[in-house]
Amino acid sequence: MSWILYVIYLLIFIWLIQKLPFFGAPRIERKWVVIAFLSKVVGGIFLFVIYRYYYDPTDSDIFHYFNDGLIIHSSFFEKPTDFLRMVTGINANTPDLHHYYTSCCYWLKPYYYNLPNDNLIVIRANALFCFLSMGNFHIHNLFFSFLGFIGLWALYKAFSPDLSSRHILLFLCVFCFPSVWFWTSGALKESLMTAIFGFLIYFFRSWLKKPTVLSTIAILVLSYMMKTSKYYVLMSALPAMCAAVWIKFCPCWALPKFIITHAVLFAIAYFSKYVTGVDLVEAICNKQLCFISMSEDLGNVGSFVYLPPLDNGLVSMIVNLPNALHNSFFRPTIFEAKSATMLMAAVENIMIVALLIVGILFLRPKNFTNRDVWYCLSFIFIFFALIGLTTPVLGALVRYKVPALPFLGIAVLLLINEEKSTSANKWIETKLKRR
């Protein structure tokens, strides 16, 4: 019965992609959109196979999230008010719920650094999906595959009006990084985060063109969801988003405003202890320390790399920034790959190097005046700096860098010679039409 239900849901998703206007795009046939979704489904199956047969399934987060969701879901039949409190987070920290949390593997984190527990949102999603899945993991995996797909599609839609002459290259930039395809295709935080962040960018860019009540509400809700799912992704995007708002309402002197916005927000982050009560610099240092401690507790972590400790706060962050960016952009190398997923990441890093070389060879300097380039580069460098400073395990770094990879492709696409990239787009389009 579960497999019949799986096929029914798969057909429903395909039907939605073929019928809903949101999945339509000029010059992109619906069949290619369906193929993109089916590739995510295949990615989800590969993800399951690797976690089930390659890694230890009893110690895999993809299954822990699912099992924790089952535990939270079971409370609905015992005491529905408990379920609602845990799923909504309203009055969810009282002692009477603690027996649920201690039964879970990932609801309570052993390491704490004064920032939200981003495990909760994926556990809650699994708990809600149980109403539709009969508790079947593969149906959950399918749902998360669809979420990852629509998040990437929303990101494509966000930039497609400004890159309409290079729509196929944009499609490839968004969907075809191997890590993006793989890690956003299954029942992991990355799939859910991609859906939330993709729609946040989609509604934000729509708001910049024409503010509406709907887009404003969507931005606020999605920002809150980002805060609870992947807070550091939101932190990395916030300077560029704030700069975009200021420049929208006062377009003159755009570059100075972009720089001033970043300087002010970095100052607020540095003095956040006095502004928000949470010391962000200390939280970043603690996160690195917790990650290193956790890796040491696990013992033989094959992809562990040494990170200089951030013991001097901001000073040590600045000193270690080049190493952090090097790790985020270019590691693991092909010589450091010790597993199938690491090998995929190493090959992808070769693709990144090739992409950067193409960007340099076909760079059109005047394209640096394009504000979308500023926003993409701001997000990429802040995000890569944060994860590079705090992540001592290359296997984790591979997953963490996923949100920024489509923006890296988009930034290069915006910077290179438009005539040459348009010609390349037409060549690919001609080849596809022959199929």
Side-chain angles (χ1 to χ4, degrees):
M1 181 61 190
S2 296
W3 286 107
I4 294 173
L5 196 59
Y6 181 97
V7 173
I8 290 172
Y9 284 131
L10 178 63
L11 293 175
I12 289 173
F13 290 146
I14 293 173
W15 181 84
L16 290 173
I17 293 169
Q18 291 177 327
K19 297 298 181 181
L20 291 183
F22 173 73
F23 294 106
R27 302 169 66 183
I28 293 282
E29 295 181 45
R30 293 282 181 126
K31 71 174 183 179
W32 294 111
V33 186
V34 172
I35 289 172
F37 166 61
L38 292 177
S39 76
K40 301 293 288 177
V41 175
V42 172
I45 295 170
F46 273 116
L47 196 66
F48 164 76
V49 170
I50 287 176
Y51 271 107
R52 177 64 179 83
Y53 299 105
Y54 190 80
Y55 295 122
D56 181 0
T58 63
D59 194 34
S60 295
D61 51 1
I62 193 170
F63 299 123
H64 285 322
Y65 293 137
F66 172 71
N67 292 327
D68 288 357
L70 293 178
I71 292 170
I72 302 303
H73 178 74
S74 68
S75 67
F76 179 81
F77 304 98
E78 299 169 9
K79 194 174 181 182
T81 54
D82 285 354
F83 174 81
L84 290 174
R85 287 160 60 195
M86 289 186 287
V87 167
T88 62
I90 299 172
N91 197 26
N93 295 320
T94 54
D96 62 303
L97 298 178
H98 197 68
H99 66 284
Y100 294 113
Y101 304 154
T102 54
S103 299
C104 295
C105 292
Y106 279 5
W107 189 280
L108 301 174
K109 275 193 172 183
Y111 300 95
Y112 181 67
Y113 32 85
N114 295 322
L115 289 171
N117 180 357
D118 54 7
N119 291 337
L120 302 187
I121 191 168
V122 69
I123 295 172
R124 287 166 172 156
N126 273 304
L128 291 171
F129 287 156
C130 284
F131 289 109
L132 302 172
S133 69
M134 299 176 60
N136 182 277
F137 172 83
H138 298 286
I139 294 177
H140 286 239
N141 216 31
L142 176 64
F143 289 165
F144 277 94
S145 297
F146 187 67
L147 286 174
F149 162 74
I150 61 174
L152 293 175
W153 181 251
L155 189 60
Y156 169 82
K157 293 272 285 189
F159 285 92
S160 59
D162 301 311
L163 288 165
S164 57
S165 64
R166 294 171 282 177
H167 59 290
I168 295 177
L169 293 178
L170 174 62
F171 190 88
L172 296 175
C173 287
V174 171
F175 281 94
C176 291
F177 280 97
S179 291
V180 175
W181 167 74
F182 185 72
W183 294 111
T184 65
S185 294
L188 293 168
K189 286 183 283 188
E190 283 73 19
S191 301
L192 187 56
M193 177 276 303
T194 298
I196 298 169
F197 192 53
F199 276 101
L200 175 60
I201 299 301
Y202 173 78
F203 281 109
F204 182 73
R205 288 180 65 85
S206 298
W207 184 90
L208 287 177
K209 293 176 181 178
K210 185 180 180 181
T212 64
V213 174
L214 175 62
S215 59
T216 302
I217 294 172
I219 290 167
L220 294 175
V221 172
L222 291 165
S223 296
Y224 176 78
M225 294 175 71
M226 278 303 305
K227 174 180 172 290
T228 59
S229 60
K230 290 285 187 180
Y231 54 87
Y232 54 88
V233 179
L234 182 62
M235 287 171 55
S236 302
L238 196 59
M241 294 174 74
C242 291
V245 172
W246 188 12
I247 293 169
K248 171 184 170 54
F249 289 106
C250 191
C252 59
W253 300 95
L255 184 57
K257 287 174 180 164
F258 178 81
I259 296 171
I260 290 169
T261 302
H262 282 67
V264 169
L265 288 179
F266 286 149
I268 291 173
Y270 182 70
F271 295 105
S272 60
K273 180 179 179 180
Y274 309 102
V275 178
T276 65
V278 176
D279 191 334
L280 288 177
V281 174
E282 182 182 28
I284 292 170
C285 296
N286 287 340
K287 180 172 174 61
Q288 186 209 53
L289 179 63
C290 291
F291 213 140
I292 292 173
S293 299
M294 181 177 66
S295 302
E296 291 174 347
D297 290 345
L298 290 174
N300 185 25
V301 179
S303 59
F304 182 85
V305 293
Y306 172 75
L307 286 185
L310 303 176
D311 47 12
N312 294 321
L314 185 63
V315 174
S316 55
M317 286 185 191
I318 295 171
V319 170
N320 296 324
L321 187 59
N323 180 64
L325 291 174
H326 172 262
N327 286 348
S328 295
F329 272 98
F330 305 119
R331 297 185 73 180
T333 66
I334 200 74
F335 304 105
E336 295 173 310
K338 298 178 181 179
S339 66
T341 54
M342 290 277 283
L343 180 61
M344 179 180 69
V347 172
E348 179 177 73
N349 287 337
I350 295 173
M351 291 172 54
I352 290 174
V353 172
L355 186 66
L356 294 176
I357 291 172
V358 168
I360 293 170
L361 291 177
F362 297 100
L363 175 67
R364 177 166 284 184
K366 73 172 186 178
N367 288 352
F368 274 109
T369 60
N370 187 329
R371 295 168 192 171
D372 286 340
V373 172
W374 306 349
Y375 305 144
C376 288
L377 293 179
S378 166
F379 172 65
I380 293 164
F381 279 98
I382 295 173
F383 183 73
F384 274 7
L386 283 176
I387 63 173
L389 287 169
T390 58
T391 310
V393 179
L394 296 181
L397 188 64
V398 167
R399 286 174 59 177
Y400 291 169
K401 69 194 286 186
V402 161
L405 292 178
F407 291 89
L408 179 61
I410 292 168
V412 171
L413 188 57
L414 290 167
L415 283 170
I416 62 178
N417 184 295
E418 184 174 351
E419 289 77 15
K420 291 185 181 297
S421 56
T422 300
S423 298
N425 190 94
K426 288 180 179 178
W427 181 83
I428 297 172
E429 188 174 23
T430 302
K431 295 293 183 182
L432 291 176
K433 285 181 178 179
R434 291 177 181 174
R435 292 183 177 272

